[in-house]
Amino acid sequence: MSVVLHEPGAVADPEPVPSRGGILWNTIRRRPSAAVGAVVLSLVVIAAVLAPWIAPYGLHDQVGPVFGPPSWSHPLGLDDGGIDMVTLLVWGARISLVVGFAATLVSMIIGGAIGVLAGYFGGKTDSILMRITDYFLVIPDVPLMIVVAAIWGPSLFHIVIVIGILLWTSTARVIRAQVKSVRERVYVKRARSLGAGHARIVFRHVLPQVAPLLIANTVLTIAVAIFDETALSFLGLGDPSRVSLGKVIENAFQRAAISSGAWWAIVPPGALVAVVILSCSLIGGALEDALNPRLRVAHVSARTFRLRPLVGRSDSSL
Amino acid sequence: GGSHSKSGGTFRLATSSGIDSLNPYVAFNQDAYSMFEYIYPLLVQYDKDNKQFVPDFARSWTTSKDGKTWTFTTVAGAKWSDGKPLTAADAAWTINTDIKYKGGGAANAAGLIAHIRRAVAPNPTTLVVHYAAAPGNVLGQFQQFAILPKHVWSKHLGHKGADLKTFPNNAPVVGAGPFKLVEYKKNQIALFQRNDSFFGPKPQVDAFGLRIFSNDDAMVSALKAHEIDAIEAVPATAIKTLKSAGFTITQVPGVDQTDFIFNSNPKKKTHRELLNLKLKEAFAHAVDRDQIIRVVFLGTAKPADSIVPQATGWHNPQLKPESFDLGLANKMLDQLGYKRGSGGVRVANGHKMAYDVITPTSVQSTSRTFQIMQASFAKIGVQLRQKALDATTAFDEMSGPNGKYLNFDLALWDWVALIDPDFMLSVVTCAQYGGWSDSGYCDKKYDRMYSQQQLTPNQDKRRALVWKMQKYLYDRRPYVWLATQDSVDALSPKWTGLVPSPQGPFNSLSKVSLTSVHQK
Amino acid sequence: MRGADYVVKRTAFALVTIFVAVSINFVLFRLAPGSAVSNLSRVPHATQELRQALKRQFGLDKSRGRQYLIYLEQLTRGNLGVSFENEQPVSTNLKTAILNTLPMVALGTLFAIVVGTLTGVIAAWRRGTPIEGATVTTALGFYSMPTHWLGLMLVILFTGILPTGGMTNDFLINPSFWTHARDVLSHMVLPSLTLGLVLFGEYTLIVRSAMLETLGEDYILTARAKGLRPWAIIRKHALRNAMLPIVTLVALSLGYIVAGAILIETVFSWPGVGRAVYDAVLNRDYPMLQGAFLFLTISVVFFNLVADLLYYKLDPRIT
Amino acid sequence: MSAVGAPLLDVDDLVVRYPVPRGLIGLLRRRPQLAVHAVEGVTLVVEAGELVALVGESGCGKTTTAQAVLRLVDPLSGSIRFQGDDITQLGMRALRPLRRRMQIVYQDPYESLDPRLRVQATVEEPLLIHRMGGSKGERASLVSDALARAGLSPPELFLDRFPHQLSGGQRQRVAIAAALVLDPQLLVADEPVSMLDVSVRAGVLRLLEELKASGLGILMITHDLSTAARFADRIAVMYLGRIVEEGPAGEVVRNPQHPYTKALLSVVPRRDPRMRRRPQILRGETPDAVRIPSGCRFHPRCPIAIDVCTTEDPSLRRTDSTQSPHHRAACLLA
Amino acid sequence: MTALLQVEDLHVWFDLQDGGELHAVQGVSVGVERGERLGLVGESGCGKTTTVLALMGLLPPSASASGRVLLEGTDVLAGGEASMRPHRWSDVAIVFQGAMNALNPVRTIGSQIVEAIELHGEAGGKAARAQTGELLESVGIPAARASRFPHELSGGMRQRAAIAMALSCHPKVLIADEPTTALDVMVQAQILELLDSLCRDFGLALILVTHDLPVVAQLCDHGAVMYAGEIVERGLVDTLYHAPRHPYTRLLFAATPDLGHETEEIVSIPGAPPRLDQPLVGCPFRPRCDSAFEPCATSRPLLRRVADRHAAACHLNDRPSQAPG
Ligand SMILES: Nc1ncnc2c1ncn2[C@@H]1O[C@H](COP(=O)(O)OP(=O)(O)OP(=O)(O)O)[C@@H](O)[C@H]1O
Ligand SMILES: Nc1ncnc2c1ncn2[C@@H]1O[C@H](COP(=O)(O)OP(=O)(O)OP(=O)(O)O)[C@@H](O)[C@H]1O
Ligand SMILES: [Mg+2]
Ligand SMILES: [Mg+2]
């Protein structure tokens, strides 16, 4: 018998496939919190990128008295060097973001690589890499950052490296778990049974699948990196020649801004850090929520299903 | 004592540094030495103005002709706080112990007993000290030398004197100063009680407490909240608000000077143009001391010009800070033939005049100072880059490799001078390579002058020599001195009588400050 | 016997981790340029003799390998060495610092665990309502604030109302226990609150997502089908399962608390272990640093082990 | 180079075991290393143009057998011959050209396609992996051919779709097309339809039937005897790592020899409500593959077991009551 | 006489993330009498589970429902979740799809059963535990296993435990949602046999949800075939097999291979069910139907009575000459 087999018609209407960018975009579109985060973060990033053009004064120009109060020309007052606070915030955001992004890049590269290797190869590779990760997980990281920053000297580059080196563990774990599950997917097995090389499988099948999670993790890591930079700066281990937001806080703190009544030197930079971190967390959290199918249905909730008025259509006689 | 004022009460003082150890063989912090001043007998102390030596445990002293033997008459009938007699024998024992263990447990005190052969106490009120050579600063040294109770410390000579360092000397400490240390919590508080058996003038307060803060804001708010009565180093930014809140602010010249350091090692490998005295002079004219004082110190500092601060009384009055004159500086550099290259940066010996300036992160003021200098140096075609390092690393970098001072170019740091100029003058001697030297300066002629002043017991002659040395250094500029910070203290309106000093009211110069402080 | 293997394995791993940590710490601190001696001997009357004496005393004249062996040997005897700074046993210094830190940290953590768990559960239970939005936003807000900055904000808000610095305000000689306790407690409020608020944010978020994950499980639907009331389901079925991730994360965060304590202790002049670490770094006080790191690592490893064992207790699936 | 007349696939006495982790304490106490006896001496032949169904309970070793045949797990002993060549010991590199000739289709059509790749890319991938198919254009035509063979025509309608835009049946067809594109001789289908809705199962099964007719050898794993009976040429019934009955499909279904086969057949529900029968239900769960019972491995659950069954392990052999010479069972009492 | 459990005109919608709505159940009416066994069959995604959840009031918050669920004449859906709660388990109990996850992994089997018994005041303390033991024995699990955790039992055992739990409060209706999916053939047979005997012994009404027609044929007396959120045919299983009145029913049977019919042509129904997040025009089955004609494209057929205890939703039934079957 030779029936020609057709599966005509009735194919579900093609809908756009969520691409990697798509997931980010969709999440931002659908969740107001993520949208707020994205808008705020973009504003800060734009301001930071445009710092040289939009900063009202020079970063090193003493334009008034030490801790000059807010005025028309200096809406947020002056810092302990008589420098305009708005200028400092714009430039500070720039450095903080650079540190955040760069350190995250470092941690993504290390964490991503280790996570993929451990998850993909499993076995001994996995246990060795995970033991290393575990070790990094238990070292108290802020103290270690202090030590390393003290040893290497406080430069922006070192801070980026140190933060990056300490932050990769969570990335590695998240990625490893995801890779492990992707590795067991049938299409990966199939590719392997076809004789595909590891590189091909990793780059063509595993990484794209892990990418959305990596993005979510990246956004969250940026927040942590910025936080850590602020902490390091506060402890005097920041790069003194670069004005980051943490540095601005530290300068004000060291010069007793609070007791001299100069709240404007200390409140705005911290608030800006908080806003940036909050935005990252909102986006990252929403992405993680969106990517975690287990969060979608809660079988018990304060809200219950709704009742609609009766429609009445079919007859129910038997 | 004995005034009409209210006596008694506890005087509470805040400090931001703190006492690191109660053991004189271990302690390094200034506050620890200030504490020893108040709990241990010393042979002499400075007077109220820190100019003259006045009696403390030693009532009087004489010098032999050759200057090699000093004889002190000490207080009779003095007692340690535990009731045991305090005699010249305790002093002799302390000196001899330090000599014996100067390479080990007592190394910390070795500098103070330099040149001493031995000390003897022929009777309870006489102390005779024999020197190998006649030194010029005997009283200056003894002013820092705490006499320890033999009956306590002689039990801690084990392990070839190493036990001297491991003895914690916990509170209550057996001492014989105007106060007894009764309680001590590291990084928190030290509590002193009046010692009624003290041989000298008794404090008017019942007790005195030192509270340690790790940040200035907390300290200032504690003062405002009347949790404490005084601050010994007021942050400049807080002066205005404290004044308006009714606190008494006292501001006197201090001994902490910021300096711009040139690596002056003649054997320096690179950037040798920085050894050129004309260039150093040009650089000195590019420093805007006024702006530094205005921005960094908010006016609580004076322009500096010499390695010896004015407040010590040994400053050479003929020296004046270089004028801030960018035109002059530019002209001088032009004359030296350093042409401006791309970006307006001058070129010397085929390379851009762009230099790293090492700044220690522990000295807060250096960053702002650097920024100001960087801006003005840019105008004379010299590019400065900040290289901030923590103090240990910074010093390593400067003295490296192996204490040879070959690599670094410039640095910003500060020096806290003692009253006697000997120490400050010593830091630029060749002998201090790898030790105190932070400029790599080494000059045989200067070293000769230095030894000479050390062995000049006549104080007038010594002063002339010290002035000459200051001028000599001023011309050769291992340092360009930027500013001398004032010592600023704040006192609650309820209190009065606190005596300021270049080291602050709680100092190791004399006991006068806390013995005379009292409630209004 | 269920899980003996698990327990042995976790414990062995914990011990190995500590050993590795100890060794790496040793190496790490010796990578630093400059030594305690170059730092310590910078006093006005220091001499070359003093430098040599200090080197000998701290064993810095020996080879690194020897120093390491000596260090290990001493460690096994429970000797953490002598602090370079004040020549007192590191253990004594550490003990003081830890005893100062503990109550402050414990108070803050307790606050965070109690409030965080409660709000986390409520947020999960009120999923999709404005209450969840408000709770999550508040939590995220606190979570996002730099710890030290939050501390400083509290200082600004509470100056004059509560003490903002130090651990005691008390210059009395031998104060009564209650006076002292009240004094310390009033000083503890702000630092603990700072820590508590930061952690509260974190815990709320963790508890919420752990709860949500659990509430999505099929057995919750079963429980509901059985007719259990929502709160009974949460208490009897959801919380216990949600505890699993919570326990791990809380244990992990307990270890990091000390790190946070550095910032808080700096802001509030609290003489605790965070300050001790920080000062030790600046003073190149290796023995102290090694001791402090050992303590920190052990506490993280310990809390992790506790978490593992609790896990084992809570989750019968672990073998 | 393959031996003339040799079967397409010839598996002889295949044994596969998975070690059971001992744990730290076990290791320290030197407990014996245990193993899951997943496959314990399977002998099986698949000819070109033949569809062999491997049936049995969950965990009896069907998938393991399939994977061992494809050399995706390493057998402990036994031999696997493909077109007469022994491939049991071949290394990874030597296996590569072979992989082309034997392909596998997995159970879950929802999982077996990369959700991010379009149909075109999925089907083309095997060509890229094996660097075959020449130019881009040539590859495209090979892909279209494969899709058409898999019943997805016209192929242009499907090339640009993503898996989620396909129905379950279509996905499984794409998976089959991806297996066909390399023009294999052997297709192993591990429960190809069990995740599909009944309404589309037949389509996929008929596709396999057609492929078989075109000369492909197919080893189909299933737990559904009705499907096996309808579509397979031969049925092999597996129990606890061993084939206990094997023969032409009709024979096995109509005239089962082994009590296990009988029981299996009796529990298959019939679609006609009037055909209700009392199923012969075996008590107890599938036994533990770590501790295989002595003697006949089926004896603990066997309704007709006698004493000798506990000691003697029967081998697969022809029984008296069978009609076909190829019908064999491993039962002492058959 | 009022039916034991009667669902009338049930609709369920789910809110979708992108703001749309999915009409998962589109007017289902079905009922069971005491001791009756109803099989609910249909392809994946046709709304079987949703129907069952709705009649227990277990829908998620993102759902909204309309219609009536009458339990012995009282509408238990009208008051939402609250009105249903007292009836859960004591009147209607359910065994979920995939019992692996339906039991709390950190509590013992026994405690989960005891909990239900105590909650509904059946018994308390010792008595409840004793009753649990009996229940477990009755589903073929030794009573001693009550102290085991779910993961310590095999899949079949867990499913039995879930059934025991469902029986713990002597419900009148037992709903079993795909109780044998993911189980082995032999275990499936055991479970089906167990359900069969339990229904007989306890006089339970059973609603068996499955996509496996033969299972329904073997176990149930009534069948309801669902397609795209609605019931397209319902009646006695015997009628459904021998005289179907909807092409879908007919094709479903024809697509199921059967022992003893090895040579029979097995059909496959082309295409796939329609999307439920868009409004349906005409007969939902039309694109896949082999006997569609003009009205099917435009008008949606209603479920109509076609014979005694037999209803179907097909336009063909309006033309007596062309009855599908
Ligand atoms: N990778 C593995 N490691 C250890 N044991 C395994 C592994 N794969 C399978 N097993 C075990 O080997 C035995 C046979 O498994 P296999 O998957 O071959 O069975 P199956 O017949 O395909 O079952 P199913 O019908 O459930 O797919 C089972 O006991 C299984 O638990
Ligand atoms: N929580 C939900 N949110 C949105 N859509 C849902 C939800 N639950 C189910 N659906 C959709 O409702 C429809 C009916 O689903 P349901 O689970 O009732 O089908 P089913 O017949 O039980 O299928 P299966 O045989 O696969 O279990 C499906 O299209 C499904 O995608
Ligand atoms: Mg299998
Ligand atoms: Mg379902």
Side-chain angles (χ1 to χ4, degrees), chain A residues 1-170:
Chain A
M1 58 179 185
S2 63
V3 199
V4 181
L5 291 152
H6 284 285
E7 291 263 340
V11 176
D13 301 333
E15 41 178 322
V17 74
S19 68
R20 267 150 281 160
I23 280 185
L24 189 67
W25 178 235
N26 280 339
T27 311
I28 289 172
R29 238 184 27 199
R30 288 204 190 127
R31 297 178 188 235
S33 63
V36 169
V39 168
V40 173
L41 191 63
S42 331
L43 286 180
V44 177
V45 169
I46 289 169
V49 170
L50 299 180
W53 296 279
I54 63 168
Y57 299 92
L59 183 56
H60 301 295
D61 297 351
Q62 200 203 349
V63 292
V66 168
F67 286 142
S71 63
W72 279 115
S73 42
H74 309 291
L76 289 177
L78 304 176
D79 84 337
D80 67 298
I83 298 164
D84 178 55
M85 279 303 296
V86 176
T87 307
L88 283 168
L89 289 189
V90 174
W91 280 98
R94 188 179 164 103
I95 298 291
S96 289
L97 285 172
V98 165
V99 171
F101 281 102
T104 303
L105 190 71
V106 173
S107 94
M108 281 303 126
I109 290 172
I110 303 178
I114 292 205
V116 168
L117 286 180
Y120 181 76
F121 287 105
K124 276 223 169 64
T125 320
D126 185 28
S127 11
I128 291 172
L129 289 177
M130 279 305 109
R131 283 299 84 81
I132 294 176
T133 314
D134 280 343
Y135 172 71
F136 271 89
L137 213 61
V138 300
I139 16 177
D141 58 354
V142 170
L144 189 74
M145 281 185 207
I146 295 175
V147 172
V148 178
I151 291 172
W152 288 349
S155 89
L156 212 55
F157 178 69
H158 294 158
I159 289 177
V160 164
I161 299 289
V162 171
I163 296 179
I165 283 178
L166 284 167
L167 286 188
W168 63 263
T169 46
S170 71

Side-chain angles (χ1 to χ4, degrees), chain A residues 312-317, chain E residues 9 11 26-29 302-303:
Chain A
R313 196 182 65 89
S314 63
D315 89 340
S316 55
S317 57
Chain E
D9 200 21
H11 288 258
Q26 315 194 346
V28 162
S29 299
L302 295 179
L303 185 66

Side-chain angles (χ1 to χ4, degrees), chain A residues 253-261, chain B residues 14-16 211 213 215-231 233-243 245 247 249 490, chain C residues 155 159-160 164-165 269:
Chain A
F253 175 71
Q254 290 293 350
R255 298 293 296 273
I258 294 181
S259 45
S260 25
Chain B
T15 175
S16 51
R211 199 165 140 202
F213 286 88
N215 84 59
D216 288 347
D217 264 326
M219 190 161 77
V220 173
S221 0
L223 181 66
K224 280 184 178 164
H226 295 285
E227 288 175 22
I228 49 174
D229 303 312
I231 297 179
V234 181
T237 47
I239 291 177
K240 218 163 73 188
T241 50
L242 283 178
K243 260 189 188 151
F247 291 91
I249 305 290
Chain C
V155 169
T159 305
T164 55
S269 291

Side-chain angles (χ1 to χ4, degrees), chain E residues 1-314:
Chain E
M1 180 191 122
T2 52
L4 174 58
L5 179 68
Q6 180 75 37
V7 177
E8 283 178 10
D9 200 21
L10 181 73
H11 288 258
V12 179
W13 298 264
F14 290 110
D15 301 335
L16 295 179
Q17 292 240 323
D18 57 11
E21 211 173 49
L22 187 143
H23 198 170
V25 176
Q26 315 194 346
V28 162
S29 299
V30 74
V32 280
E33 299 294 341
R34 276 176 192 78
E36 193 178 278
R37 301 172 192 181
L38 173 73
L40 200 55
V41 288
E43 277 174 271
S44 181
C46 69
K48 306 181 295 289
T49 302
T50 309
T51 304
V52 157
L53 289 182
L55 69 86
M56 293 215 51
L58 290 175
L59 290 169
S62 65
S64 50
S66 86
R68 276 196 297 268
V69 175
L70 302 169
L71 191 61
E72 297 180 307
T74 39
D75 188 350
V76 292
L77 188 65
E81 171 108 42
S83 66
M84 186 62 212
R85 193 175 300 129
H87 300 286
R88 287 186 191 151
W89 230 246
S90 51
D91 288 325
V92 189
I94 186 165
V95 176
F96 284 108
Q97 196 167 357
M100 320 287 164
N101 306 320
L103 294 168
N104 189 336
V106 305
R107 297 185 50 183
T108 60
I109 306 279
S111 79
Q112 298 185 52
I113 299 178
V114 167
E115 178 182 71
I117 297 176
E118 291 186 338
L119 183 72
H120 293 279
E122 293 275 328
K126 251 205 167 93
R129 280 197 293 282
Q131 201 172 323
T132 301
E134 284 165 28
L135 273 168
L136 286 175
E137 295 277 1
S138 74
V139 297
I141 301 177
R145 300 258 175 112
S147 58
R148 296 287 180 90
F149 288 97
H151 73 275
E152 294 171 311
L153 303 182
S154 69
M157 286 279 205
R158 256 181 296 204
Q159 193 62 279
R160 285 159 195 260
I163 293 173
M165 189 160 75
L167 297 177
S168 60
C169 298
H170 310 293
K172 298 176 182 120
V173 184
L174 176 66
I175 301 175
D177 187 359
E178 314 223 6
T180 57
T181 315
L183 291 182
D184 215 39
V185 264
M186 195 59 75
V187 184
Q188 166 175 332
Q190 292 170 0
I191 299 289
L192 293 179
E193 190 201 40
L194 174 67
L195 284 176
D196 185 44
S197 66
L198 288 173
C199 288
R200 219 172 314 117
D201 298 351
F202 293 92
L204 276 176
L206 176 73
I207 300 182
L208 178 72
V209 175
T210 177
H211 54 247
D212 203 354
L213 272 177
V215 167
V216 174
Q218 293 296 309
L219 198 67
C220 301
D221 13 84
H222 291 264
V225 181
M226 279 189 82
Y227 188 77
E230 62 176 10
I231 290 181
V232 292
E233 182 165 9
R234 87 182 169 222
L236 293 168
V237 283
D238 194 63
T239 337
L240 290 182
Y241 179 70
H242 292 284
R245 299 293 291 270
H246 196 287
Y248 182 59
T249 316
R250 170 173 48 81
L251 286 170
L252 264 190
F253 276 112
T256 313
D258 192 26
L259 279 182
H261 295 88
E262 281 89 45
T263 50
E264 184 188 275
E265 185 73 13
I266 301 298
V267 306
S268 92
I269 311 177
R275 292 172 61 163
L276 297 175
D277 56 348
Q278 278 156 6
L280 294 174
V281 180
C283 174
F285 187 60
R286 188 194 59 86
R288 304 174 74 186
C289 186
D290 58 359
S291 36
F293 64 119
E294 315 83 57
C296 303
T298 49
S299 116
R300 188 161 180 179
L302 295 179
L303 185 66
R304 291 263 180 79
R305 205 187 118 143
V306 291
D308 185 32
R309 307 168 90 190
H310 191 178
C314 179

